Amino acid sequence: EPEVTQTPSHQVTQMGQEVILRCVPISNHLYFYWYRQILGQKVEFLVSFYNNEISEKSEIFDDQFSVERPDGSNFTLKIRSTKLEDSAMYFCASMEQAWKTQYFGPGTRLLVL
Amino acid sequence: QQPVQSPQAVILREGEDAVINCSSSKALYSVHWYRQKHGEAPVFLMILLKGGEQKGHDKISASFNEKKQQSSLYLTASQLSYSGTYFCGTDQGTSGSRLTFGEGTQLTVNP
């Protein structure tokens, strides 16, 4: 069964450093998402991406964040200058077409020291 | 605005039933239910589109009352594997189909 994959599974970085989180969505899916979950809290939407552009973003997704689909398979989230409060589990999700099921990847646990 | 889930937590014995509720103050296009085990990704359970449909999957079913903007998840004859945190995610039909999640309901099934 096709799955969303994410790398790395864990990332530790120093405050102020740039990180890139990578995702490979399910191959025939057209919509891509990043969500985050701070430990013990609910899942929060960051950004949605369709047709090579951002279709929606939340107030969390400020200028420090960016997304890219550099080729036909990868989808990346970049945090330019990490802050302590960016520590969280970051989930990538993909969806085949509008208003269908979003399938989540296993997540990248980011720890900012 | 995030949906409100109730109860926050529930403890069951194996074989008992449970109902988890999710309500929104906003008009919804769909409601998505996920189960998350500790340290893992949310796993999709089912999606309910507006129209008041009810869906089922094995001993787990759900309903969506469009007039009240409420959804309920029904777990019958619970199994140990049902333990986890259940989240409802609501879609208001925006262009990006963003999901807004509730705080979750922690379900524990004991032998």
Side-chain angles (χ1 to χ4, degrees), chain A residues 31 33 35 37 41-43 45 48 55-58 89 91 95 98-102 104-106, chain B residues 2 29 32 34 36 39-42 44 47 49 87 91 93-99 101-103:
Chain A
Y31 292 79
Y33 302 85
Y35 292 86
Q37 186 177 33
Q41 299 185 20
K42 69 181 190 296
V43 177
F45 169 80
S48 59
S55 47
E56 270 190 282
K57 58 183 181 179
S58 72
M89 180 76 97
F91 293 108
M95 183 170 72
W99 304 307
K100 295 292 184 185
T101 300
Q102 293 183 25
F104 282 69
Chain B
Q2 72 177 57
Y29 184 85
H32 304 229
Y34 290 82
Q36 185 179 36
E40 299 179 8
F44 171 76
I47 179 175
L49 304 178
F87 291 98
D91 177 359
T94 57
S95 59
S97 296
R98 65 185 285 176
L99 293 182
F101 287 91
E103 296 287 343

Side-chain angles (χ1 to χ4, degrees), chain A residues 6 10-11 19 23 29 35 37 44 52-53 55 68 76-77 79-80 82 85-86 88 100 104-105 107 110:
Chain A
Q6 291 185 241
H10 293 80
Q11 173 108 37
V19 295
C23 167
H29 285 193
Y35 292 86
Q37 186 177 33
E44 299 176 289
N52 282 321
E53 61 182 20
S55 47
E68 201 175 40
T76 62
L77 174 70
I79 309 174
R80 263 180 271 281
T82 49
E85 55 265 36
D86 292 329
K100 295 292 184 185
F104 282 69
L110 176 67

Side-chain angles (χ1 to χ4, degrees), chain B residues 58-102:
Chain B
D58 198 11
K59 293 188 175 69
I60 299 175
S61 61
S63 62
F64 177 28
N65 185 321
E66 188 185 342
K67 285 185 180 178
K68 294 184 177 181
Q69 303 303 324
Q70 288 177 355
S71 178
S72 295
L73 186 72
Y74 307 94
L75 302 113
T76 57
S78 58
Q79 306 168 15
L80 297 176
S81 60
Y82 286 5
S83 291
T85 302
Y86 289 76
F87 291 98
C88 68
T90 55
D91 177 359
Q92 294 173 38
T94 57
S95 59
S97 296
R98 65 185 285 176
L99 293 182
T100 303
F101 287 91

